[in-house]
Amino acid sequence: MCALPLVVVVLKAFESGAGDAFALIWRPRIGELLVNTVSLLVLTCVISTVLGVGAAWLVERTALPGTAFWRIALVAPLAVPSFVNSFAWSALVPGFEGLAGAVIVTSLSYFPFVFLPVAALLRTLDQGLEDAARALGHGPWRTFARVGLAQIRPALLGGVLLVALHLLAEYGALEMLRFPTFTTAILDQFQVAFDSRSGSVLAVVLMGIAGTVLTLELLARGRVRHTRVGSGAVRRVTREHLGRATPLALFGLVALTALALGVPAWSLGKWLSRADQASEPANLGPTLWSTLSLGLIAAVVTTVATVPAAWLIARSRSWFAVAVERVTYVAASLPGVVVALALITLTIGFVRPLYQTTTVLVVAYAILFLPRAMVATRAAIAAVPPELGDAARTLGDNPVRAFLRVQLPLMLRGTMAGFALVFIAVTTELTATLLLAPTGTHTLATAFWHASASLDYAAAAPYAAALVVLSAPLTYLLLHGRNEESRT
């Protein structure tokens, strides 16, 4: 399923011959887009890593007050769509655009993808290795750099991978900030120039960038096993006392929270107070119901579809397992408009009755957001020792019964974290929904986009606020699911 959009895009890009395709690639404009895309990718991934790992270490390994509050506050930015964040910053700071604006907005929107798995893993890691490093004369910082980072590597790489894939497919926030990347250029080709071939050529280049990112992540991940059988003699985490640095650390967390949550909250509050100035009142009821129903259906379908592939990847490092994983990630790196147009081509050509139905829209969501569920489900399965299933089968259970009785309960919370991530993504998805939604179906994201595109910010604010409120309760699932999947 995930490979179908890739095949359609490649065939469309080269339908006039490889010479024409390469002629389109070797243009100065492509070089500019490449520099913009790679610059945004590198800067945002680095900043998100620093913010996510630093915040996770402060919250989980130091004696700062308010640990429970910070766990929630530093995950809450996931409830604020990136295009709502860019809307808020643009309203606050005139002329807020370009690379600097894009890096700020995307870093503040996506650093929780790094914080969430790293914090969960730091919370449950055995501190014995770190104690051994200190006994050999290493200080706290050197111990964390040499031992702690090696232990959190799987969680860190998974989080950074999600950040990178989201950046490659990001459209709404970058369009608002007037920062051109391959994704915005692809949509321009499809919507403005009505040139699907040039758009497909750009999409092939984007797939190449995604393939490079995935290869680097695969090489960095390695083949080290990260599970253990039994709890063993796990030592409780000893929290560091920062002493005089405590006020500075608290100030850093407060500032990060204020920038990631305070600015959107202030901007939405400002425009909500001016709701009477809207050109037309918000139609929240039907729009909220459409968003909720599509989110739930797509999250269930995507999570269930992920389990077999995640099981194969977690239990086997064969070439086939790696290929399955890489294909899902490359497909998800494509902009929603590319996946949508590929599915439109397939449905019109082969299954016309499905054209512009909820079924095709849910398939698009599954293709786009499989990695969100994959990262969480794969980690949850990897944290369940395969020896437990072997023991259950030795005691007389068949494979299905052993999975349902022993392994499924242990991986359930981690899998539910993936469900929550998919639900949040579906409720905030924009471009594929605009193209594939059945006639008359509107979501909170599309309603917000239409209102903000016409500069009717007072009408857009209620939809943005509803998106935040709808996504916020899933923070509970994310926090508890990630905590569970990090246990070994």
Side-chain angles (χ1 to χ4, degrees):
M1 180 178 69
C2 291
L4 288 178
L6 305 181
V7 174
V8 172
V9 167
V10 172
L11 292 178
K12 187 68 176 178
F14 291 94
E15 67 177 357
S16 297
D20 288 346
F22 285 114
L24 287 172
I25 293 175
W26 296 114
R27 293 182 298 168
R29 177 61 173 167
I30 302 299
E32 178 187 343
L33 295 174
L34 181 62
V35 170
N36 286 352
T37 302
V38 174
S39 299
L40 179 65
L41 192 68
V42 172
L43 290 174
T44 300
C45 285
V46 170
I47 294 174
S48 296
T49 298
V50 173
L51 293 177
V53 175
W57 186 80
L58 289 174
V59 172
E60 302 299 340
R61 287 302 180 93
T62 70
L64 287 180
T67 297
F69 168 78
W70 292 121
R71 286 174 182 165
I72 296 174
L74 293 170
V75 174
L78 289 178
V80 183
S82 57
F83 56 81
V84 173
N85 220 344
S86 63
F87 161 79
W89 278 90
S90 299
L92 176 66
V93 183
F96 187 83
E97 57 186 40
L99 177 61
V103 169
I104 291 173
V105 167
T106 53
S107 297
L108 292 175
S109 298
Y110 295 148
F111 83 87
F113 284 127
V114 178
F115 168 83
L116 196 59
V118 172
L121 200 54
L122 285 176
R123 189 157 57 246
T124 56
L125 278 180
D126 185 354
Q127 200 174 353
L129 292 176
E130 296 179 38
D131 291 342
R134 290 196 178 188
L136 295 174
H138 296 319
W141 291 106
R142 191 177 180 189
T143 297
F144 180 74
R146 297 194 61 183
V147 179
L149 286 180
Q151 291 180 292
I152 66 172
R153 185 176 64 178
L156 175 59
L157 290 175
V160 172
L161 180 61
L162 281 180
V163 173
L165 293 179
H166 278 75
L167 285 170
L168 291 177
E170 180 61 57
Y171 170 75
L174 302 180
E175 181 68 17
M176 281 188 170
L177 296 171
R178 300 178 183 178
F179 183 70
T181 62
F182 277 110
T183 301
T184 60
I186 289 168
L187 199 65
D188 288 341
Q189 291 295 325
F190 283 122
Q191 287 192 332
V192 179
F194 301 102
D195 187 354
S196 60
R197 189 171 68 87
S198 295
S200 297
V201 171
L202 294 178
V204 170
V205 178
L206 192 64
M207 289 164 53
I209 299 174
T212 302
V213 171
L214 293 168
T215 301
L216 293 174
E217 188 271 343
L218 181 65
L219 294 174
R221 190 198 309 172
R223 295 176 174 269
V224 179
R225 173 173 165 164
H226 299 281
T227 61
R228 59 186 292 167
V229 180
S231 58
V234 178
R235 298 195 50 169
R236 294 178 60 86
V237 173
T238 302
R239 292 180 174 266
E240 301 285 345
H241 291 275
L242 299 180
R244 294 180 180 179
T246 297
L248 182 61
L250 286 174
F251 173 79
L253 292 181
V254 169
L256 180 58
T257 304
L259 293 174
L261 294 176
V263 171
W266 175 86
S267 184
L268 290 179
K270 171 186 173 182
W271 288 108
L272 284 172
S273 66
R274 302 179 183 178
D276 56 337
Q277 300 177 11
S279 59
E280 59 180 274
N283 189 22
L284 275 178
T287 306
L288 180 62
W289 171 248
S290 297
T291 304
L292 183 63
S293 57
L294 284 173
L296 289 174
I297 293 171
V300 169
V301 170
T302 304
T303 304
V304 172
T306 299
V307 172
W311 188 275
L312 175 67
I313 294 164
R315 294 291 188 247
S316 170
R317 297 308 299 168
S318 65
W319 67 267
F320 179 72
V322 173
V324 169
E325 182 184 33
R326 302 295 102 173
V327 167
T328 62
Y329 287 152
V330 173
S333 71
L334 295 176
V337 63
V338 176
V339 174
L341 289 171
L343 291 177
I344 288 173
T345 301
L346 291 172
T347 53
I348 291 178
F350 301 99
V351 280
R352 184 175 287 271
L354 291 180
Y355 174 66
Q356 211 167 16
T357 62
T358 301
T359 300
V360 177
L361 182 57
V362 170
V363 170
Y365 288 149
I367 293 172
L368 288 169
F369 304 127
L370 264 173
R372 290 200 178 203
M374 182 74 73
V375 169
T377 306
R378 183 190 68 194
I381 294 173
V384 178
E387 290 83 359
L388 296 181
D390 296 339
R393 289 191 291 273
T394 301
L395 294 174
D397 286 345
N398 59 48
V400 175
R401 183 176 173 84
F403 173 77
L404 294 176
R405 291 183 66 244
V406 178
Q407 293 162 315
L408 181 61
L410 294 176
M411 56 178 276
L412 188 59
R413 284 195 177 183
T415 303
M416 290 303 294
F419 171 91
L421 285 169
V422 173
F423 180 87
I424 292 173
V426 169
T427 58
T428 59
E429 204 286 325
L430 186 61
T431 52
T433 308
L434 288 171
L435 292 174
L436 294 176
T439 303
T441 299
H442 301 285
T443 66
L444 293 172
T446 59
F448 168 84
W449 186 256
H450 287 310
S452 61
S454 60
L455 302 181
D456 192 356
Y457 296 147
Y463 297 114
L467 278 171
V468 175
V469 171
L470 184 63
S471 301
L474 294 175
T475 299
Y476 174 86
L477 281 178
L478 292 176
L479 287 172
H480 289 264
R482 289 291 187 174
N483 181 37
E484 188 71 16
E485 74 182 50
S486 66
R487 294 178 182 176
T488 59

